[in-house]
Amino acid sequence: MHVPPSHPRYHSLITREKLADAFRKGLVVPEGLIAHGRGECFDYILGEKSRDFALEAERVAVAMMILADHPVISVNGNAAGLVAEEICMLSKSLSIPLEVNIFHRSEERIRRIAEELAKYGVTVYSRGDAVIEGLESARRIVDSRGIFKADVVLVPLEDGDRCEILKKSGKKVIAIDLNPLSRTSQMADVTIVDNIVRAIPNMVDFAGEMKGMDRGELERIVGDYDNREILKRAVKSIIEYLEWRSGDM
Ligand code: PTJ
């Protein structure tokens, strides 16, 4: 479908088209389209831009990934459909491998997502030769070189169960989730309350700026961070945005 750039909801419609195309290519499941709709709703009441609390969390996330011994970026269908190229830019910039890890598991879709990412010349793990104990969903099947041994995992559009288990296995979890009230958001060490289509490009910019920083400075950035405070600011900003909009009525 042609979306005219003058359309007031141009960016939102283009993002939908991208996801629908990815669905047609077999990267995204129908449930992913529904999940995106929920995300859109939160994005709408967050003002559809990267707020200060999101930028702060994105910066800390990048610092944490630079400091990590075995960081990994988990990629599901929606992430591959919306920001495959940008995730690969982040992966290359920080030399962090990607791992395909999906909730609605099928070997065919894992292969398609891995192929989509590999186009950009990055390291993609998708072996499924290890299991995270304590998890019943298909997300328990991981790669021994990636999530299994990782100390820091970036998980865009996550389900709460896996976040909890990853944390129980001693890993630091960075989540990207537009819903600040979700179980994942509440449980992650760093919650990026932002649309993945803005969050990942912002993180690519931060990576460029921060990869030359000394460890002490990066440790200070991570050490000063308080995720509960970030979540509170996200919820308050929704309240303030709605109050501001109600003033127009
Ligand atoms: O590819 P698969 O099989 O791994 O499936 C992917 C989905 C997204 C279907 C799966 O992970 C899932 O069911 O996720 P949930 O539990 O619905 O959680 C998705 C969360 O991401 C929700 O809290 C949404 O608000 C949020 N979300 C949706 N779209 C975006 C988003 N957050 C950031 N950016 C988005 N574009």
Side-chain angles (χ1 to χ4, degrees):
M1 188 187 98
H2 172 68
V3 183
S6 57
H7 194 288
R9 301 216 41 80
Y10 176 75
H11 291 291
S12 169
L13 293 180
I14 286 291
T15 305
R16 279 190 186 179
E17 281 304 301
K18 215 172 167 185
L19 202 62
D21 278 347
F23 168 69
R24 288 186 279 265
K25 282 201 283 181
L27 300 174
V28 171
V29 279
E31 292 84 348
L33 305 178
I34 299 169
H36 183 75
R38 186 197 297 170
E40 275 187 341
C41 179
F42 279 98
D43 206 15
Y44 199 90
I45 57 175
L46 278 157
E48 294 179 305
K49 58 182 179 190
S50 299
R51 309 294 295 263
D52 53 3
F53 49 81
L55 292 166
E56 215 172 299
E58 285 155 9
R59 191 160 176 269
V60 168
V62 169
M64 213 179 228
M65 291 198 290
I66 298 174
L67 288 169
D69 292 325
H70 296 292
V72 66
I73 303 173
S74 179
V75 182
N76 65 8
N78 285 41
L82 290 175
V83 284
E85 186 174 1
E86 295 83 352
I87 280 198
C88 292
M89 284 165 76
L90 184 63
S91 155
K92 278 190 192 166
S93 172
L94 297 179
S95 304
I96 296 182
L98 304 178
E99 177 166 338
V100 181
N101 188 264
I102 56 180
F103 185 68
H104 306 89
R105 191 178 168 89
S106 92
E107 291 304 326
E108 175 64 12
R109 196 157 65 93
I110 290 174
R111 187 184 57 74
R112 285 187 189 189
I113 296 171
E115 277 174 10
E116 182 68 21
L117 299 169
K119 278 187 199 161
Y120 299 98
V122 289
T123 304
V124 187
Y125 297 148
S126 59
R127 230 185 234 165
D129 59 351
V131 166
I132 305 181
E133 295 301 334
L135 196 57
E136 279 182 29
S137 82
R139 277 197 161 137
R140 73 185 185 284
I141 305 165
V142 293
D143 192 303
S144 56
R145 300 160 298 174
I147 292 171
F148 188 72
K149 76 165 188 187
D151 53 350
V152 172
V153 193
L154 170 64
V155 286
L157 280 62
E158 179 62 4
D159 64 286
D161 284 358
R162 183 168 69 145
C163 185
E164 187 175 3
I165 296 298
L166 289 175
K167 286 212 55 175
K168 276 193 185 148
S169 346
K171 302 175 195 300
K172 296 267 181 226
V173 178
I174 302 164
I176 302 177
D177 192 334
L178 277 160
N179 178 4
L181 303 171
S182 75
R183 247 161 52 80
T184 299
S185 288
Q186 300 287 321
M187 232 163 335
D189 295 281
V190 176
T191 308
I192 297 169
V193 184
D194 200 358
N195 197 319
I196 192 173
V197 302
R198 295 187 301 267
I200 297 289
N202 290 342
M203 289 169 81
V204 171
D205 290 346
F206 281 129
E209 284 167 30
M210 296 171 80
K211 61 185 174 186
M213 280 185 182
D214 64 64
R215 278 188 83 82
E217 177 67 2
L218 293 168
E219 279 163 5
R220 193 192 56 72
I221 292 170
V222 173
D224 288 347
Y225 182 75
D226 179 350
N227 204 48
R228 305 253 42 102
E229 197 51 41
I230 289 289
L231 290 171
K232 271 189 202 159
R233 278 162 59 191
V235 174
K236 277 189 185 150
S237 84
I238 291 177
I239 297 167
E240 282 161 15
Y241 180 76
L242 292 175
E243 272 174 359
W244 175 66
R245 291 296 304 264
S246 72
D248 294 341
M249 289 166 186

